[in-house]
Amino acid sequence: MASNALINNSIITREALAIRRNTNDFIQNIDRQYQSQFAREGAKIGATLNVRLPNDYVVQDGPVVNPEATEERSIPITVNYRKNVPMTFSTQERTLNIDDFSERYIAPAVNALLGQVASDAMTLALDVSNMVLNQDADGNLLSPNPNTWLRAKAKLTECNAPLNDRYAVLDPNTDANTVAAMANMFNPTDRISTQTIDGQMGSKILGVKGWMQDQTVAISVGGAYDSKATATGAYGSYLPNGQPAPVVTISSVTSPHSSAITVSAINGGLNKGDIITIEGVNAVNRVTKKDRHTLQQFVVLADCPSGSTAIPVSPAIIPPKEDGTPVPYQTVAKAPQSGAAVKMVNPQGKAIRRNLLYSKKALTMVTVDLELVRAGVVDCGRASLDGISLRTLTYYNGSDDTRGTRLDVLYGLAMLRGDWACIVPELAE
């Protein structure tokens, strides 16, 4: 490009999208299959798509069929995230060589914008109920080692997550500790070379397709709950809009999304993202509905202050019928019994890095085209690449005789299958 040619907004937008492709690996490896189902022109914040999840059925014995109605599940994807980066530069600066202009202006802006998008996506880790810890004999949390990651991978397989397209996103400190823990493993020469030269996890190893380090990995602090409360033997369902339904008896199943277990008053409080178990409430094989003889883990969906007697959790507590007959979408081998101990899995009161192992189809992201504004602006450009839509708009500010430019993105995020992801925590110390 000639040095005296004006760089317009279409050029800026295309360059920004090209830079984005190499900026954030985590954003690159989020499912995009629902992108085309959103309006592409002039979309407004608040657009929602209810994504139907795969139906679940129970196999029956013998030649006689006992018809049962199909219960369909859906998860809403709401386009409610709007982020922008403002920039100001002169017409003279727009005549720079595009490489110089990209280095000075576009690249830093894209890095900041995508960092915020990634940070928003990382908050989805607070909806994941699976957690695998590396602990010493005294129960102290240690940095994850190869066995920890292998157990996390097994957890996904237990939940019938696809075997391909599994990714791990690690805090830079956890990434360093994981590389060090694998130093003595028998690995292919090219894998050892990548880890030694780059100092980070690389391509497929331990059955994980891609290992990524990201400084936006979520950090959460465990509640002060003392793990001494007990279940009352009842739970209530949370409806898809997040409003609690009345408490019902343990034999009822009214919502496949989440439940609110009733407990004796908790002491110390639970925080959103804490993981708990309930004595006697075991996980099941999601296909056969057979008891796995391991406690089902539940993630706390909202802060519960000390004294609370109800805990909203996911997955929903869906037990078999009272006679033991399996039901669709069953999540547990038995419902909570009165007096069952409720224990916290993550360390009490400790900050942890929520490193994530996940199937690509566990979470999804959509971006929507923002309107191409023509009136009252100097220039406006919009483009899409790899399922990401970005708009660049330049306007004149008469009060100080300057031109401002903004990069905008409008998007939605959703955790579609929380059981297809697993937290591998490390103390944030």
Side-chain angles (χ1 to χ4, degrees), residues 51-331:
V51 177
R52 291 182 177 180
L53 300 182
N55 291 318
D56 190 38
Y57 297 95
V58 173
V59 176
Q60 300 179 359
D61 289 327
V64 179
V65 173
N66 180 20
E68 293 191 4
T70 298
E71 302 175 32
E72 290 195 308
R73 298 189 304 170
S74 64
I75 296 290
I77 305 175
T78 302
V79 180
N80 56 355
Y81 292 91
R82 174 73 179 272
K83 297 293 188 299
N84 69 81
V85 175
M87 300 177 288
T88 300
F89 32 72
S90 67
T91 301
Q92 179 179 346
E93 287 165 328
R94 279 183 176 241
T95 64
L96 293 171
N97 177 282
I98 184 61
D99 292 334
D100 294 336
F101 189 84
S102 293
E103 182 179 355
R104 290 178 58 181
Y105 299 105
I106 303 177
V110 170
N111 185 59
L113 185 61
L114 289 185
Q116 185 58 60
V117 174
S119 180
D120 290 336
M122 289 293 182
T123 63
L124 295 177
L126 294 174
D127 297 328
V128 174
S129 60
N130 294 325
M131 180 177 283
V132 172
L133 304 87
N134 183 25
Q135 296 174 301
D136 62 19
D138 296 322
N140 298 308
L141 183 61
L142 306 176
S143 296
N145 59 25
N147 179 261
T148 319
W149 291 105
L150 288 172
R151 289 189 292 118
K153 188 185 74 167
K155 181 76 76 172
L156 297 192
T157 304
E158 288 179 349
C159 294
N160 301 308
L163 295 176
N164 59 342
D165 284 346
R166 293 184 179 183
Y167 295 87
V169 57
L170 291 70
D171 179 273
N173 294 282
T174 308
D175 183 84
N177 293 331
T178 300
V179 171
M182 292 186 179
N184 295 323
M185 289 181 62
F186 177 74
N187 289 321
T189 303
D190 60 335
R191 302 291 191 270
I192 296 175
S193 176
T194 298
Q195 293 174 5
T196 302
I197 294 174
D198 296 338
Q200 65 183 52
M201 299 295 295
S203 57
K204 187 171 183 179
I205 191 171
L206 297 180
V208 178
K209 185 175 182 178
W211 295 79
M212 304 163 282
Q213 62 169 312
D214 197 307
Q215 64 268 38
T216 65
V217 165
I219 296 178
S220 63
V221 179
Y225 173 54
D226 63 5
S227 291
K228 293 183 179 180
T230 57
T232 64
Y235 70 91
S237 296
Y238 266 58
L239 304 178
N241 64 3
Q243 297 300 312
V247 172
V248 296
T249 60
I250 60 174
S251 60
S252 298
V253 177
T254 60
S255 170
H257 299 283
S258 57
S259 297
I261 62 170
T262 57
V263 296
S264 60
I266 65 174
N267 180 37
L270 286 162
N271 294 338
K272 176 178 171 61
D274 283 342
I275 307 295
I276 63 172
T277 59
I278 308 169
E279 181 184 9
V281 180
N282 288 347
V284 295
N285 182 302
R286 293 299 178 86
V287 174
T288 67
K289 320 303 183 192
K290 299 293 186 182
D291 190 341
R292 294 200 62 84
H293 297 281
T294 57
L295 291 175
Q296 173 65 47
Q297 295 178 334
F298 300 94
V299 61
V300 178
L301 297 177
D303 292 347
C304 299
S306 187
S308 298
T309 56
I311 307 172
V313 297
S314 179
I317 299 175
I318 305 180
K321 296 179 181 178
E322 291 182 348
D323 63 1
T325 303
V327 298
Y329 306 110
Q330 185 176 327
T331 58

Side-chain angles (χ1 to χ4, degrees), residues 17 20-21 27-28 30-36 40 365-369 383-390 409-412:
L17 286 169
R20 177 208 60 79
R21 176 174 276 174
I27 296 299
Q28 304 301 323
I30 295 178
D31 182 68
R32 295 279 198 286
Q33 62 178 304
Y34 302 103
Q35 178 82 16
S36 62
R40 303 301 303 153
M365 176 181 174
V366 296
T367 63
V368 181
D369 286 347
S384 297
L385 181 65
D386 299 337
I388 297 291
S389 177
L390 187 69
V409 62
L410 172 62
Y411 56 100

